[in-house]
Amino acid sequence: DQQVKQNSPSLSVQEGRISILNCDYTNSMFDYFLWYKKYPAEGPTFLISISSIKDKNEDGRFTVFLNKSAKHLSLHIVPSQPGDSAVYFCAAIPNSGYALNFGKGTSLLVTP
Amino acid sequence: DGGITQSPKYLFRKEGQNVTLSCEQNLNHDAMYWYRQDPGQGLRLIYYSQIVNDFQKGDIAEGYSVSREKKESFPLTVTSAQKNPTAFYLCASSTTGGFQPQHFGDGTRLSIL
């Protein structure tokens, strides 16, 4: 049963514009949410995380928003750059857990 | 330069063979994890270890085995009992005690000949 869902398999954005990647979850016990970026044939790279007690966390061009009532989070990348082209995975974990629950990923393409 | 090293990057296995995937970290992390990724899928947890000489099964442990004899090393053996071993295998590590993100190696792609 997929507890973390990324319903958009792909997204294409022009360079300089905002990229918005979405993620939904079903388990209300999740306490932390993470975004990872992955290039082909490489491991995921941690980007940014947010605690369930917050609704926003920002790190440079990356901002994650959390809407607990809707069980929804999003990653905003502003401005988007061609080097941002990769697969982005949303993941979640409860405070007492060890395993990250991953979505299936969204492939972002930033075009010049 | 700290990090997680997985070897080999590509591995081929004949039917009926066991193969072992290596994972070494020099981040001084207590916890280590093995995930499997299939095409178009998210990562699924195979095994994890919070401390040396102790490990627990994840969601898809059948057909796999691990050991944790050293803090730095967490090898994964894919046994002949694993009926569909072709996948991308990722090792991760993290500190323990409160939330800390898991950091990943670059993976091993296992294929069946």
Side-chain angles (χ1 to χ4, degrees), chain A residues 32-97:
Chain A
Y32 297 97
F33 303 88
L34 305 86
W35 285 95
Y36 285 85
K37 174 181 179 180
K38 185 180 181 301
Y39 294 116
E42 293 185 9
T45 301
F46 170 70
L47 272 178
I48 191 168
S49 64
I50 188 167
S51 163
S52 60
I53 63 173
K54 295 187 175 181
D55 55 17
K56 178 182 175 181
N57 188 27
E58 190 172 356
D59 184 1
R61 296 187 298 114
F62 302 92
T63 303
V64 56
F65 295 92
L66 175 63
N67 182 335
K68 281 192 69 177
S69 61
K71 292 190 175 67
H72 177 83
L73 65 154
S74 60
L75 175 68
H76 292 210
I77 306 174
V78 184
S80 300
Q81 300 172 353
D84 295 329
S85 298
V87 177
Y88 289 79
F89 288 96
C90 172
I93 189 168
N95 196 37
S96 59

Side-chain angles (χ1 to χ4, degrees), chain B residues 4-49:
Chain B
I4 301 171
T5 302
Q6 290 188 243
S7 61
K9 193 163 183 68
Y10 299 95
L11 188 58
F12 299 91
R13 191 191 91 171
K14 291 182 180 179
E15 296 274 358
Q17 275 186 340
N18 294 351
V19 290
T20 297
L21 284 60
S22 170
C23 178
E24 304 277 334
Q25 55 99 359
N26 60 4
L27 300 167
N28 199 32
H29 285 170
D30 288 308
M32 297 187 73
Y33 313 81
W34 275 104
Y35 289 87
R36 167 181 172 141
Q37 186 189 17
D38 293 286
Q41 302 294 319
L43 282 66
R44 292 179 293 167
L45 184 69
I46 305 172
Y47 268 98
Y48 66 96
S49 168

